[in-house]
Amino acid sequence: MKTLALSRAGRAFVLAVIALGGVLILSSLFQLALEPTTPYWLVLAVLTLFTAPLSLRISSVRATVTVTETFVFASALLFGPAAATVTVALDGLLLSVSAKRRNVHRVLFNIGEPAISVWVAAQLFYLVSGVEPLFGSAVGLGQLLVPLLLLTTSYFVLNTAFIVTALWFETRVSPFPFLRDQAIHTGLNYFACCSFVVLLVLNLDNLTFAAVGV
């Protein structure tokens, strides 16, 4: 794999994202290993990896939109930020490895960037909602609606901002055409995933992991 031909500023941006994402992933792994956490989060991680091949390639800007956010958001709600961070990092790794055009910086960026986005989004969700991870507990939709919208919006904004910034450093093409043409579609994808997560949360008491898989 070759490295990207980036300017000094672009290389600094990419390396900063990789470093911060790496720190969050490692701290999440330590948290999952040291704290008493149900291993069921691995089920959602596996489901995320199985749905990774269903990604949508946007060839005009050499970007990819995944359809795995349903399980990433569900992991954040049910098991906390650490589980969601590791899950989305695994998704980014698989997405990068399966891509036809690979390089060191792009692979590491695709692992670190979503890890940062989902970690921040999940932290905001728990800060605003005041709840603990929802696995094994019942919480009403009224208490979760605004935090869920904040989770989805913050993840969408951060993810989009990181991607368009990296694309601008790599291609020097204005990000506004991408935002105009593609942002609304990717945003709808995220909010559709969020609506499905709402159904999961509301029916948590009667839900089986087989049903989640279906």
Side-chain angles (χ1 to χ4, degrees):
M1 290 186 293
K2 298 180 180 180
T3 58
L4 289 176
L6 294 171
S7 65
R8 182 176 298 179
R11 191 174 296 109
F13 171 77
V14 169
L15 291 177
V17 171
I18 291 171
L20 180 55
V23 169
L24 294 178
I25 293 168
L26 289 176
S27 63
S28 296
L29 286 170
F30 277 117
Q31 182 178 341
L32 292 171
L34 298 178
E35 295 183 1
T37 305
T38 174
Y40 285 131
W41 71 270
L42 290 171
V43 176
L44 290 178
V46 170
L47 289 172
T48 302
L49 296 180
F50 271 117
T51 55
L54 302 177
S55 59
L56 308 174
R57 182 69 177 170
I58 305 174
S59 57
S60 60
V61 292
R62 289 185 290 178
T64 302
V65 177
T66 65
V67 293
T68 56
E69 281 77 17
T70 294
F71 299 115
V72 173
F73 291 163
S75 183
L77 267 63
L78 295 176
F79 307 112
T85 300
V86 175
T87 297
V88 83
L90 291 173
D91 175 47
L93 174 61
L94 182 61
L95 182 65
S96 297
V97 169
S98 61
K100 293 181 179 180
R101 298 182 60 181
R102 301 193 301 271
N103 56 69
V104 174
H105 283 118
R106 183 175 282 115
V107 170
L108 296 178
F109 183 87
N110 287 341
I111 297 172
E113 176 273 313
I116 299 172
S117 299
V118 81
W119 187 90
V120 172
Q123 293 291 343
L124 289 174
F125 170 84
Y126 285 104
L127 179 64
V128 173
S129 66
V131 301
E132 298 294 327
L134 303 177
F135 185 77
S137 61
V139 180
L141 176 60
Q143 186 177 353
L144 297 178
L145 186 57
V146 173
L148 272 171
L149 291 174
L150 179 61
L151 168 72
T152 308
T153 303
S154 57
Y155 180 79
F156 169 65
V157 170
L158 286 171
N159 194 43
T160 302
F162 281 127
I163 290 174
V164 297
T165 302
L167 287 171
W168 182 81
F169 277 123
E170 181 182 358
T171 65
R172 296 297 178 180
V173 175
S174 172
F176 293 107
F178 169 80
L179 293 174
R180 183 186 64 247
D181 298 334
Q182 305 295 342
I184 186 171
H185 303 296
T186 56
L188 287 174
N189 176 69
Y190 290 153
F191 282 97
C193 292
C194 180
S195 66
F196 185 71
V197 171
V198 170
L199 296 177
L200 292 180
V201 172
L202 291 180
N203 295 279
L204 199 57
D205 293 338
N206 302 316
L207 197 65
T208 65
F209 279 105
V212 175
V214 172

Coordinates of all heavy atoms in Angstrom, one line a residue, residues 78-112:
L78 N -27.0 0.5 23.5 CA -27.2 -0.7 24.4 C -26.0 -0.9 25.3 O -26.1 -1.4 26.4 CB -27.5 -1.9 23.5 CG -28.8 -1.9 22.7 CD1 -28.9 -3.2 21.9 CD2 -30.0 -1.8 23.7
F79 N -24.8 -0.7 24.8 CA -23.6 -1.1 25.5 C -22.6 0.0 25.8 O -21.6 -0.2 26.4 CB -22.9 -2.2 24.7 CG -23.8 -3.4 24.4 CD1 -24.1 -3.6 23.1 CD2 -24.3 -4.2 25.4 CE1 -25.0 -4.7 22.7 CE2 -25.1 -5.2 25.1 CZ -25.5 -5.5 23.7
G80 N -22.8 1.2 25.3 CA -22.0 2.4 25.6 C -21.0 2.8 24.5 O -20.9 2.1 23.5
P81 N -20.4 3.9 24.7 CA -19.4 4.5 23.7 C -18.3 3.5 23.3 O -17.9 3.5 22.2 CB -18.9 5.8 24.3 CG -20.0 6.1 25.3 CD -20.5 4.8 25.9
A82 N -17.7 2.8 24.3 CA -16.6 2.0 24.1 C -16.9 0.9 23.0 O -16.2 0.6 22.1 CB -16.1 1.4 25.4
A83 N -18.0 0.2 23.2 CA -18.4 -0.9 22.3 C -18.7 -0.3 20.9 O -18.3 -0.9 19.9 CB -19.7 -1.6 22.9
A84 N -19.3 0.8 20.9 CA -19.6 1.4 19.5 C -18.3 1.8 18.8 O -18.2 1.7 17.6 CB -20.6 2.6 19.7
T85 N -17.4 2.4 19.6 CA -16.1 2.8 19.0 C -15.3 1.6 18.4 O -14.8 1.7 17.3 CB -15.3 3.5 20.1 OG1 -16.0 4.6 20.6 CG2 -13.9 4.0 19.5
V86 N -15.2 0.5 19.2 CA -14.5 -0.6 18.6 C -15.3 -1.2 17.4 O -14.7 -1.6 16.4 CB -14.4 -1.7 19.7 CG1 -13.8 -3.0 19.2 CG2 -13.5 -1.2 20.9
T87 N -16.6 -1.3 17.5 CA -17.4 -1.8 16.4 C -17.2 -1.0 15.1 O -17.0 -1.6 14.1 CB -18.9 -1.8 16.8 OG1 -19.1 -2.6 17.9 CG2 -19.8 -2.3 15.7
V88 N -17.3 0.3 15.2 CA -17.2 1.1 14.0 C -15.7 1.1 13.5 O -15.5 1.2 12.3 CB -17.7 2.6 14.3 CG1 -16.6 3.4 14.9 CG2 -18.1 3.2 13.0
A89 N -14.8 0.9 14.4 CA -13.4 0.8 13.9 C -13.2 -0.5 13.1 O -12.5 -0.5 12.1 CB -12.4 0.8 15.1
L90 N -13.8 -1.6 13.6 CA -13.7 -2.9 12.8 C -14.4 -2.7 11.5 O -13.9 -3.3 10.5 CB -14.4 -4.0 13.6 CG -13.6 -4.4 14.9 CD1 -14.5 -5.4 15.7 CD2 -12.3 -5.0 14.6
D91 N -15.5 -2.0 11.5 CA -16.2 -1.8 10.2 C -15.3 -1.0 9.2 O -15.2 -1.3 8.0 CB -17.5 -1.0 10.5 CG -18.2 -0.6 9.2 OD1 -18.4 -1.5 8.3 OD2 -18.6 0.5 9.1
G92 N -14.6 0.1 9.7 CA -13.7 0.9 8.9 C -12.6 0.0 8.4 O -12.1 0.2 7.2
L93 N -12.0 -0.9 9.2 CA -10.9 -1.7 8.8 C -11.4 -2.6 7.7 O -10.7 -2.8 6.7 CB -10.4 -2.5 10.0 CG -9.4 -3.6 9.7 CD1 -8.1 -3.0 9.1 CD2 -9.1 -4.4 10.9
L94 N -12.5 -3.3 7.8 CA -13.0 -4.2 6.8 C -13.3 -3.5 5.5 O -13.0 -4.0 4.4 CB -14.3 -4.9 7.3 CG -14.8 -6.0 6.3 CD1 -13.8 -7.1 6.1 CD2 -16.1 -6.6 6.9
L95 N -13.9 -2.3 5.6 CA -14.2 -1.5 4.4 C -12.9 -1.1 3.7 O -12.9 -1.2 2.5 CB -14.9 -0.2 4.9 CG -15.4 0.7 3.8 CD1 -16.4 0.0 2.9 CD2 -16.0 2.0 4.4
S96 N -11.9 -0.8 4.4 CA -10.6 -0.4 3.8 C -9.9 -1.5 3.1 O -9.4 -1.4 2.0 CB -9.7 0.3 4.8 OG -10.3 1.5 5.3
V97 N -9.9 -2.7 3.8 CA -9.2 -3.8 3.3 C -9.9 -4.4 2.0 O -9.2 -4.8 1.1 CB -9.2 -4.9 4.4 CG1 -8.7 -6.3 3.8 CG2 -8.3 -4.5 5.5
S98 N -11.2 -4.2 2.0 CA -11.9 -4.8 0.8 C -11.9 -3.8 -0.4 O -12.4 -4.1 -1.5 CB -13.4 -5.1 1.2 OG -14.0 -3.9 1.7
A99 N -11.4 -2.5 -0.1 CA -11.4 -1.5 -1.2 C -10.4 -1.9 -2.2 O -9.3 -2.5 -1.9 CB -11.2 -0.2 -0.6
K100 N -10.6 -1.5 -3.5 CA -9.7 -1.8 -4.6 C -8.5 -0.9 -4.5 O -7.3 -1.4 -4.7 CB -10.4 -1.6 -5.9 CG -11.5 -2.6 -6.2 CD -12.1 -2.4 -7.6 CE -13.2 -3.4 -7.9 NZ -13.8 -3.3 -9.2
R101 N -8.7 0.3 -4.1 CA -7.6 1.3 -4.0 C -7.3 1.5 -2.5 O -8.1 2.0 -1.8 CB -7.9 2.6 -4.7 CG -8.2 2.4 -6.2 CD -8.4 3.8 -6.8 NE -7.3 4.7 -6.6 CZ -7.3 6.0 -7.1 NH1 -8.3 6.5 -7.7 NH2 -6.2 6.7 -6.9
R102 N -6.1 1.0 -2.1 CA -5.8 1.1 -0.7 C -4.4 1.8 -0.5 O -3.5 1.7 -1.4 CB -5.7 -0.3 0.0 CG -7.0 -1.1 -0.1 CD -6.9 -2.3 0.8 NE -5.8 -3.1 0.5 CZ -5.8 -4.1 -0.4 NH1 -7.0 -4.4 -1.0 NH2 -4.8 -4.9 -0.6
N103 N -4.2 2.5 0.6 CA -3.0 3.1 1.0 C -3.0 3.2 2.5 O -4.0 3.1 3.1 CB -2.7 4.4 0.3 CG -3.7 5.4 0.6 OD1 -3.9 5.9 1.7 ND2 -4.5 5.7 -0.5
V104 N -1.8 3.3 3.1 CA -1.6 3.3 4.5 C -2.5 4.4 5.2 O -3.3 4.1 6.1 CB -0.2 3.5 4.9 CG1 0.0 3.6 6.4 CG2 0.7 2.3 4.4
H105 N -2.4 5.6 4.7 CA -3.1 6.7 5.3 C -4.6 6.5 5.2 O -5.3 6.8 6.2 CB -2.6 8.1 4.7 CG -1.3 8.5 5.2 ND1 -0.2 8.7 4.4 CD2 -0.9 8.8 6.4 CE1 0.8 9.1 5.1 NE2 0.5 9.2 6.3
R106 N -5.1 6.1 4.1 CA -6.5 6.0 3.9 C -7.1 4.9 4.8 O -8.2 5.0 5.4 CB -6.9 5.7 2.4 CG -8.4 5.6 2.2 CD -8.7 5.5 0.7 NE -8.6 6.7 0.0 CZ -7.7 7.0 -1.0 NH1 -6.9 6.1 -1.3 NH2 -7.7 8.2 -1.6
V107 N -6.4 3.7 4.9 CA -6.8 2.7 5.8 C -6.9 3.1 7.2 O -7.9 2.9 7.9 CB -5.9 1.4 5.6 CG1 -6.2 0.4 6.7 CG2 -6.0 0.8 4.3
L108 N -5.8 3.7 7.7 CA -5.8 4.2 9.1 C -6.8 5.3 9.3 O -7.5 5.4 10.4 CB -4.4 4.7 9.5 CG -3.3 3.6 9.4 CD1 -2.0 4.1 9.8 CD2 -3.7 2.4 10.4
F109 N -7.0 6.2 8.3 CA -8.0 7.3 8.5 C -9.4 6.7 8.5 O -10.2 7.1 9.3 CB -7.9 8.2 7.3 CG -8.8 9.4 7.3 CD1 -8.4 10.6 8.0 CD2 -10.0 9.4 6.7 CE1 -9.3 11.7 8.1 CE2 -10.9 10.5 6.8 CZ -10.5 11.6 7.5
N110 N -9.7 5.7 7.7 CA -11.0 5.1 7.7 C -11.3 4.3 9.0 O -12.5 4.0 9.2 CB -11.2 4.2 6.5 CG -11.3 4.9 5.2 OD1 -11.6 6.1 5.2 ND2 -11.1 4.3 4.1
I111 N -10.3 4.0 9.7 CA -10.5 3.3 11.0 C -10.6 4.4 12.1 O -11.5 4.3 13.0 CB -9.3 2.4 11.4 CG1 -9.2 1.3 10.3 CG2 -9.4 1.9 12.8 CD1 -8.0 0.4 10.5
G112 N -9.8 5.4 12.1 CA -9.8 6.4 13.2 C -10.9 7.4 13.1 O -11.5 7.8 14.1

